[in-house]
Amino acid sequence: MECPFCAETISDDARVCKNCGRDLRLVRPLIDENSALIAKIETLQSQVNSARAALARRSAPLTFWATHSALYVVAPIAVLIAAHFIVTVVLDISPLYLRLASVAIPLPFGFALLWFAHHDIRWSIFDGIVVGLLSVAGMLTVVGVIDNVPILPDTARDWRETLEYALSIALANVTGAAIALLVRRLLPRQLDATKAPSRLAMTIARIAGHHVGERALRRRAQKIQDNLGMLAPAAGALVAGAGSIYTGIRAVIGGL
């Protein structure tokens, strides 16, 4: 934590600031209470944002779906098809650049869907699937019209590569949402002093080091629980990102 007098970083269990020498025993209850209030405010704000999104969806469904469809479905599809046209038709360069662009483009839309629209990860999964399928269908249509070839794939291998490409786009969208969830967990990283740590966190805290008092043990367990809460979105972002890149460029690299 930061010393309230000199703003230097000190140990959470310190009774005296090692930098300015001020006694922290009198102000520690206020610091703990402030941390708890900040944590509660963040939780309440998240709940309010989710409630507002649900209310907008129910009170004005036409406006809600039109706006969300334009921002999170039509816009990424248009950008992806435009990138496909530029790379394959205008520049006529390696399709590897298109696959990398198809991973990078959906990321900010997935991030915005969770960060600004306040939807959960399930929305991102559904949105990613829709964007992936429709954008790939649009790309196939562009190629079919320009080259005067069948729009749909001919062989099982072509179908597999097409679906893998759509999956790559969907996973990139989910990756953006997972990153937004991780950032939300990281900011402001305040511990709720009024919430009891779980049994798992307390067990890990006892195993992690010698017994240093019940208060210090509880704070250690709170930190562990806080870090455990970030593992899921971090792992989700890593897995989804890796899967998106792999499925996106596997066919291209294999054909080089």
Side-chain angles (χ1 to χ4, degrees), residues 9 16 24 30 59 70 74 81 85 89 92 96 99 105-106 119 155 168 194 204 208 217 231 233 244 253-254:
T9 302
V16 177
L24 302 175
L30 296 177
S59 60
V74 177
I81 294 177
F85 181 80
V89 178
D92 191 22
L96 178 61
R99 296 302 179 98
I105 290 172
H119 296 306
T155 65
S168 170
T194 64
I204 297 175
L217 183 66
L231 288 179
S244 176
I253 293 179

Side-chain angles (χ1 to χ4, degrees), residues 5-256:
F5 301 106
C6 65
E8 293 292 336
T9 302
I10 57 176
S11 172
D12 291 336
D13 301 321
R15 297 183 179 181
V16 177
C17 177
K18 64 180 180 179
N19 298 289
C20 66
R22 301 292 293 270
D23 191 343
L24 302 175
R25 288 176 293 181
L26 295 178
V27 298
R28 182 175 292 281
L30 296 177
I31 296 175
D32 293 341
E33 183 179 357
N34 184 59
S35 298
L37 290 175
I38 292 176
K40 289 180 179 179
I41 290 172
E42 291 295 323
T43 301
L44 291 174
Q45 185 62 55
S46 177
Q47 294 174 353
V48 168
N49 291 335
S50 299
R52 286 176 177 174
L55 179 62
R57 186 169 66 251
R58 295 176 181 176
S59 60
L62 292 179
T63 302
F64 175 86
W65 288 113
T67 302
H68 278 63
S69 297
L71 292 176
Y72 304 113
V73 178
V74 177
I77 290 175
V79 176
L80 285 166
I81 294 177
H84 170 265
F85 181 80
I86 293 173
V87 172
T88 60
V89 178
V90 178
L91 300 178
D92 191 22
I93 56 179
S94 171
L96 178 61
Y97 294 101
L98 173 63
R99 296 302 179 98
L100 293 176
S102 298
V103 172
I105 290 172
L107 274 170
F109 290 97
F111 185 96
L113 185 62
L114 192 143
W115 189 265
F116 298 109
H118 308 291
H119 296 306
D120 57 31
I121 199 72
R122 294 173 296 179
W123 281 72
S124 179
I125 294 173
F126 177 76
D127 180 68
I129 293 174
V130 172
V131 170
L133 292 175
L134 294 182
S135 59
V136 171
M139 295 175 190
L140 292 175
T141 302
V142 169
V143 173
V145 172
I146 294 177
D147 296 341
N148 194 23
V149 297
I151 294 177
L152 296 178
D154 295 329
T155 65
R157 177 180 178 181
D158 291 340
W159 271 108
R160 186 192 66 193
E161 292 180 355
T162 299
L163 293 177
E164 285 181 352
Y165 188 19
L167 178 61
S168 170
I169 294 172
L171 288 175
N173 192 287
V174 175
T175 302
I179 292 174
L181 183 60
L182 178 61
V183 173
R184 183 172 290 176
R185 293 283 181 87
L186 287 171
L187 298 176
R189 294 294 307 278
Q190 295 291 342
L191 296 176
D192 186 354
T194 64
K195 184 177 180 181
S198 64
R199 290 184 178 180
L200 176 61
M202 289 295 292
T203 301
I204 297 175
R206 290 189 177 95
I207 297 174
H210 62 279
H211 188 70
V212 289
E214 189 63 28
R215 181 183 178 85
L217 183 66
R218 186 176 183 274
R219 292 185 65 85
R220 180 189 297 168
Q222 283 181 307
K223 289 182 181 180
I224 293 173
Q225 184 165 292
D226 185 48
N227 291 328
L228 289 175
M230 294 187 299
L231 288 179
L238 181 62
V239 172
S244 176
I245 295 174
Y246 174 75
T247 55
I249 68 175
R250 186 177 71 87
V252 177
I253 293 179
L256 294 179

